[in-house]
Amino acid sequence: MNKTELISAMAKETNLAKKDVEAVLKSFIDVVSDELKNDGKVQLVGFGTFEVGTRAAREGRNPQTGETMTIEASRAPKFKAGKALKDAVNGR
């Protein structure tokens, strides 16, 4: 499902205009992104938690040349599914 299909499905589910659903979805993405940029986390009980994880610097190899290189430390967004979402996916 892509973003357009998600907006259509949400509009059908909520009986709202696609334009309004698109604005709400954009706002959700912006709020979650801003919170993660500030090292926060967003917890939606029953759905899951968005948070930031850290990756340590490490050695890697250039696949074309085989040359060793250093991969810098970085931060990456993570999503941990909640129990209710896991149960729904597993048909429980």
Side-chain angles (χ1 to χ4, degrees), residues 33-44:
S33 297
D34 289 343
E35 186 65 22
L36 294 179
K37 283 180 197 174
N38 295 321
D39 284 329
K41 71 178 184 178
V42 177
Q43 185 174 8
L44 303 172

Side-chain angles (χ1 to χ4, degrees), residues 26-61:
K26 181 184 182 322
S27 176
F28 173 77
I29 291 169
D30 291 344
V31 169
V32 171
S33 297
D34 289 343
E35 186 65 22
L36 294 179
K37 283 180 197 174
N38 295 321
D39 284 329
K41 71 178 184 178
V42 177
Q43 185 174 8
L44 303 172
V45 176
F47 183 71
T49 303
F50 297 92
E51 57 190 345
V52 178
T54 56
R55 294 181 182 160
R58 61 193 187 279
E59 291 288 316
R61 291 196 179 272

